[in-house]
Amino acid sequence: MKEQIMKYLGIDRKSPYVRDHFYAANMRASIYMSAIVVVLEIWMILRMTRTILELPPGTAKPFEYYFQKYYLNYLILLAAGAAMLIFALRFVKGRKDNPVIGTAIKWVFSFICIYFGLTISYNDYAKGEQILTFLTMELFVVCLLTWRPLTSFLILSSSYLIFYFRIDAIPPPNSTEAGTTLATQINMFTMYLSTLLFSFANYNRTIQQAKKDENLEELNHHLSRISVQDELTGIHNMVYFRNEAEKLLSYVTTDRDNIVFLFFDIENFKSYNEKYGFHEGNELLKKIAQMTDQAFAGSLVSRFSDDHFVVLTRFDGCREKIEQLSHEIKCCQGEVHLELKCGAYRPDEHETDPSLACDRARLACNSIKKHYDCYYQLYDKSLEDRFQMKQYIVNHIDTAIENGYIKVFYQPVVSATDGSICGLEALARWKDPNYGLLPPGAFIEILEEYRQIYKLDQYIIRQVCRDYRESADQHLPFVPVSLNFSRLDFELCDIVSFISETAEEFQVPHEFLDIEITESALTDQQNFLQTAVRTLRNSGFKVWLDDFGSGYSSLNVLKDYQFDVLKIDMKFLSGFPDNAKTQPILISIVNLAKQLSMLSLTEGVETKEQFEFLCSIGCDRAQGYLFSKPVPLAQLREKIAGGELQISAKYQQMM
Ligand code: C2E
Ligand code: CA
Ligand code: CA
């Protein structure tokens, strides 16, 4: 309530912006007003002088009389107007003198104007003329200038009252009795009310405009702040970083070869968000931003997005700072394991593009993702080549499949009893027109990372089925082929239905298709994989456990799944015969397979000795370079025709 009243009276607290706006509006308005006053007074002085000069000789009064009665008044008003005009013009031109002086001049000027209005109109009234000077001055002062409502009320009321009482004390024209007429009283009251209302309206308009401008200004300020500042953490954002980095890169300084771009990423931050919620995640980001800012005080520190921070700093000593930061972040981790990853890039002296530098630092950072306990990587060219290769693989898998660049190579699996081929492993090769023959090591992992692997595996299934169909149609012998499935195949497509349908399409008996699933795929407890393995076996496909012994949970996998063949990882043979431990381990694995009703197969057999040993311990099958490297089907057939390899009797008769 009190606030409302104060607001209506105009004596509420105003923001500095509104006060400034108010002041500026008055300064601008007073230019017109004071200019008119100055011109008017000069004209009055000239007119007065001419009147005196034109008086008949001898009738003129002494100059002092005119000076006191007229000139002095004109000169005072002229001086006040000139002072006001000069001060206001200086203000508009940008000279922001003390506003207290400006306000004081405005008051004095207004007071003088009203005083003259009063005096002159009083004289006019006495002579029976209209009181226009008084009214004009009132209008000038309270309507051109803006006053708080209370102030204009006081100014108007007091001046009108003074004027009223002064003229009320003398007789009006054409009368001998003192006292204003009713008509004059009504006229004056109407004028008083009009000027008062007009001044209120003027005040409101000015204040509203000021507030509107203030809001706009604030919005502008906010916009310009967020355009260079990261809203969440308060440190600089990417736009600011890029601009400043560009400036820094284009300066020629002695330190130019000592700068480094650092790209930071917090590994597992997503899990932290999931576990503790977005709010806590944001709090952590703010904390990390502060820590980074402090660790690299005086350098250009920014947040690009999510949990990605970029710093431009001196190369000397940066490793220690990164290590310290990495340690500090570990202290914040709670139950989620957080790890700071940092990629670094040192631009050479001709480079001026910060975007490229940031990209390279990020590339270096990404290259150590998921590398436990490796927190720093400096960019080098080979990273870029690897990255480009990666992009090439992901972008070209579809065309490679369409154009038949993907080939199936077959590697024989032999029976330990007689060394004849009892199976083939289908291994993918990519014959690329640009890169030549690519081994699976160059593309399998990438296709898995980008979740494209199912395309390749589906294609291999089709090709193997087609090879079977062609062989069968030509009455050539064929042996079961084992296919490598990625764990992702079960997630990304219905690989179980796919293999059944494709087998049906090419009329391939299911016992000719085996599925190899690598041990590491089965380590996380996932029910859908257990179901998938069961369905495959129920449909007549044999399922093999690949790379047994390569991981840590081999025995758990055997407990949870049922397999037909146990494929023993080639690392067990690599130390043979020097490593004394490998022999007893292989013996126990082979025995374990027997106990669990699985066939045992050892891969990576390269020497006769190794094969003889495997035969002696009762391993059922073997695979390795000793028999053949993976080769195209036609080449394999040549080897068989040449007598280098022979097919197991069981399968020769099948066709
Ligand atoms: P893997 O399934 O363990 O395949 C055996 C790998 O060992 C093959 O490498 C093979 O060429 C190699 N090898 C065979 N005998 C010997 C030997 O005596 N000595 C040595 N040093 N190596 C031998 P490759 O063909 O490069 O395949 C590598 C891996 O790529 C495979 O490992 C498999 O995990 C994956 N892979 C290959 N083709 C496919 C495919 O079509 N789909 C999927 N998902 N993965 C595939
Ligand atoms: Ca395999
Ligand atoms: Ca293997």
Side-chain angles (χ1 to χ4, degrees), residues 138-150:
E138 293 290 315
L139 274 174
F140 264 26
V141 171
V142 295
C143 300
L144 261 182
L145 296 178
T146 310
W147 304 88
R148 292 157 198 272
L150 181 65

Side-chain angles (χ1 to χ4, degrees), residues 29 81 86 92 134 213 222 230 259 295 383 386 487 566 604:
I86 291 166
V92 171
F134 173 70
D213 287 2
H222 181 69
D230 175 50
I259 60 172
L383 280 177
R386 282 215 313 264
R487 187 181 71 93
L566 187 71

